[in-house]
């Protein structure tokens, strides 16, 4: 397990960028943590660390954002509105699993039964307004 | 009648041209590449190798499902586009029926496609002594447990084919007499889809491009509830 305490979104981003160096094609990061916990900052760092030039934003309304301008693509999902297997199927989630990219899944609690066994669990806990405790577990961590 | 068929409904992408029961050519790929990047260049190359212009194709065939959500949309969009632009008819066949065409000698066949989370898309077919394919059950999504119950009740050896073969074979091999086709016939091939489409076309089942729709299958109720239950 890899853990860290960060004090600003920039520190969270830097931590994610470091962690990205250890990821391989096909890895899936299942994210837990509420609104405003810093998931988008983490995603931004991850994309930067993977060498991607795309602009990162929260996929709440579009369900998935693809970042492909770099060596290893990142597929960024938000499962907040997903309520059942049919809906998950129609996001194309299972098709992305077959591709050689990294998947970051926000609100992974909603698709707990559909996550692969080797998923990397990312937990972001809000300690106070700006302090975050971040844990990465599974896969290379 | 020259018929071009494509399949992008599961792991593999392929295209084939058949004419009056003869396979003229087939391209196939089982690599982790996006089907949308692969399939049309593949069609273009195949037609070029066969020295055929796309205008010479009389009918366009495609597997309409069940299968991958994105894959079905890619295959259908490509075929609808070609048929619409050229004003030619199209024909859609079940992905599972196309898989059954990988065999062709008297036997029972259960095509199986991995639908994830211990579920498969499946159906049951029988190749008869007279060389016809008979459907014994509709396309449906079953849990692996229900598939086992179904296959056990047949009390006969049965061929498994499709991208769920390995998954099912490993689970069932000691309890049900499962047989496997040759490795070359394990995954869906456009040649098989094309022959299934040719037969359907000869039976008058062609439609115009606008009427071709994907056949997504509902997944078992219990599994859908299970996912939702975890919502906090």
């Amino acid at each position: 397990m890899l853990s860290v305490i960060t004090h600003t979104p920039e520190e969270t981003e830097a931590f994610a960028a470091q962690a990205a160096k250890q990821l391989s094609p096909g890895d899936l990061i299942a994210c837990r943590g509420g609104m405003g916990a810093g998931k988008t900052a983490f995603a931004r760092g991850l994309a930067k660390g993977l060498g991607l030039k795309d602009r990162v934003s929260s996929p709440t309304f579009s369900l998935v954002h693809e970042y492909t301008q770099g060596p290893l693509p990142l597929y960024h999902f938000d499962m907040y509105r997903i309520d059942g297997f049919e809906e998950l199927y129609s996001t194309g989630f299972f098709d992305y699993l077959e591709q050689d990219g990294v998947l970051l899944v926000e609100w992974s609690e909603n698709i707990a039964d559909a996550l692969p066994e080797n998923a990397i669990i990312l937990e972001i806990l809000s300690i106070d307004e700006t302090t975050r405790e971040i844990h990465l577990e599974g896969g290379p961590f | 009648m020259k018929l071009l068929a494509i399949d992008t409904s599961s792991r593999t992408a392929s295209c084939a041209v058949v004419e009056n029961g003869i396979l003229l050519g087939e391209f196939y790929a089982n690599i982790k590449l996006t089907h949308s990047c692969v399939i049309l260049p593949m069609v273009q190359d195949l037609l070029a190798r066969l020295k055929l212009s796309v205008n010479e194709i009389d009918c366009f065939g495609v597997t309409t499902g069940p299968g991958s959500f994105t894959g079905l949309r890619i295959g259908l969009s490509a075929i609808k586009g070609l048929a619409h632009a050229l004003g030619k008819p199209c024909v859609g066949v079940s992905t599972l029926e196309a898989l059954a065409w990988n065999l062709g000698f008297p036997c029972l066949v259960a095509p199986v496609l991995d639908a994830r989370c211990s579920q498969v898309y499946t159906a049951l077919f029988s190749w008869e002594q007279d060389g016809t394919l008979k459907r014994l059950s509709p396309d449906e999504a079953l849990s692996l447990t229900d598939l086992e119950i179904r296959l056990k009740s047949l009390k006969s050896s049965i061929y498994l084919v499709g991208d769920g073969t390995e998954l099912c074979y490993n689970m069932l091999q000691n309890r049900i007499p499962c047989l496997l086709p040759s490795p070359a016939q394990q995954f869906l091939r456009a040649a098989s889809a094309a022959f299934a489409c040719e037969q359907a076309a000869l039976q008058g089942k062609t439609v115009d491009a606008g009427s071709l729709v994907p056949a997504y299958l509902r997944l078992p109720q219990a599994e859908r509830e299970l996912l939702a239950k975890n919502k906090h």
Side-chain angles (χ1 to χ4, degrees):
Chain A
M1 180 150 92
L2 184 62
S3 300
V4 73
I5 304 266
T6 65
H7 304 90
T8 61
E10 289 71 28
E11 278 181 40
T12 298
E13 216 176 302
F15 170 72
Q18 272 307 312
K21 310 267 184 249
Q22 297 188 53
L23 295 173
S24 341
D27 279 344
L28 181 149
I29 301 176
C31 184
R32 295 177 191 155
M35 305 273 190
K39 290 180 300 224
T40 306
F42 190 92
R44 218 162 31 232
L46 210 55
K48 204 176 283 174
L50 290 171
L52 293 161
K53 294 189 168 57
D54 310 68
R55 211 177 69 85
V56 171
S57 58
S58 165
T60 306
F61 296 103
S62 45
L63 301 173
V64 57
H65 284 170
E66 295 186 2
Y67 312 123
T68 55
Q69 294 177 46
L72 185 60
L74 173 67
Y75 304 114
H76 185 190
F77 282 85
D78 187 329
M79 299 300 182
Y80 184 69
R81 294 187 294 148
I82 297 300
D83 199 6
F85 203 93
E86 296 290 330
E87 275 181 43
L88 183 59
Y89 169 80
S90 61
T91 63
F93 175 72
F94 298 115
D95 304 322
Y96 285 95
L97 282 179
E98 299 276 315
Q99 293 180 30
D100 279 335
V102 170
L103 272 74
L104 174 67
V105 182
E106 298 191 16
W107 293 97
S108 66
E109 299 93 314
N110 284 357
I111 63 155
D113 290 319
L115 289 173
E117 273 170 30
N118 56 358
I120 299 161
I121 305 297
L122 164 67
E123 207 157 7
I124 308 180
L125 304 165
S126 297
I127 304 301
D128 61 35
E129 190 95 351
T130 50
T131 314
R132 299 290 180 266
E133 190 180 318
I134 306 176
H135 303 288
L136 272 171
E137 193 174 7
F141 307 106
Chain B
M1 174 181 71
K2 287 190 183 65
L3 184 146
L4 166 77
I6 66 171
D7 169 71
T8 54
S9 60
S10 55
R11 254 172 65 166
T12 54
S14 57
C15 62
V17 177
V18 293
E19 183 176 23
N20 307 329
I22 306 285
L23 174 64
L24 299 186
E26 181 185 30
F27 277 8
Y28 171 100
N30 185 4
I31 45 170
K32 282 188 172 176
L33 263 182
T34 318
H35 290 336
S36 58
C37 303
V38 168
I39 195 65
L40 283 173
M42 207 183 232
V43 166
Q44 200 168 19
D45 288 352
L46 177 66
L47 291 174
R49 297 287 82 75
L50 298 179
K51 299 196 186 307
L52 282 175
S53 143
V54 73
N55 293 303
E56 292 174 77
I57 300 296
D58 304 298
C59 183
F60 291 89
V62 67
T63 44
T64 56
S68 138
F69 179 77
T70 316
L72 292 177
R73 293 158 80 88
I74 292 166
L76 276 143
S77 310
I79 282 299
K80 281 158 91 79
L82 286 166
H84 178 71
L86 298 164
K88 296 282 175 70
C90 5
V91 60
V93 289
S94 149
T95 309
L96 298 167
E97 188 185 329
L99 270 170
W101 277 80
N102 274 15
L103 293 98
F105 46 85
C107 64
L108 274 180
V109 197
V112 281
L113 288 172
D114 188 356
R116 299 272 172 184
C117 303
S118 302
Q119 301 168 101
V120 286
Y121 298 120
T122 189
L124 204 57
F125 296 90
S126 157
W127 276 103
E128 304 289 294
Q129 295 289 344
D130 66 2
T132 56
L133 180 68
K134 193 165 131 196
R135 182 186 271 279
L136 303 177
S137 79
D139 292 357
E140 55 195 318
L142 292 183
S143 67
L144 287 177
T145 319
D146 288 341
L147 176 72
E148 181 172 348
I149 294 167
R150 164 186 286 188
L151 298 186
K152 245 181 200 155
S153 73
L154 297 172
K155 301 192 188 340
S156 165
S157 58
I158 183 152
Y159 275 93
L160 297 175
V161 59
D163 75 7
T165 300
E166 203 180 320
L167 175 79
C168 297
Y169 187 77
N170 291 341
M171 184 194 76
L172 300 170
Q173 59 173 334
N174 298 321
R175 303 195 288 277
I176 290 174
C178 298
L179 300 168
L180 299 182
S182 81
Q185 305 297 346
Q186 192 182 327
F187 297 106
L188 190 48
R189 295 177 56 164
S192 296
F195 286 126
C197 285
E198 189 181 51
Q199 192 182 70
L202 292 173
Q203 290 166 354
K205 292 178 182 162
T206 54
V207 294
D208 61 59
S211 309
L212 203 63
V213 285
Y216 304 122
L217 273 187
R218 313 268 320 151
L219 290 149
Q221 188 67 27
E223 205 63 48
R224 279 182 284 150
E225 281 170 2
L226 202 62
L227 263 187
K229 206 168 62 189
N230 280 296
K231 191 150 183 155
H232 298 291

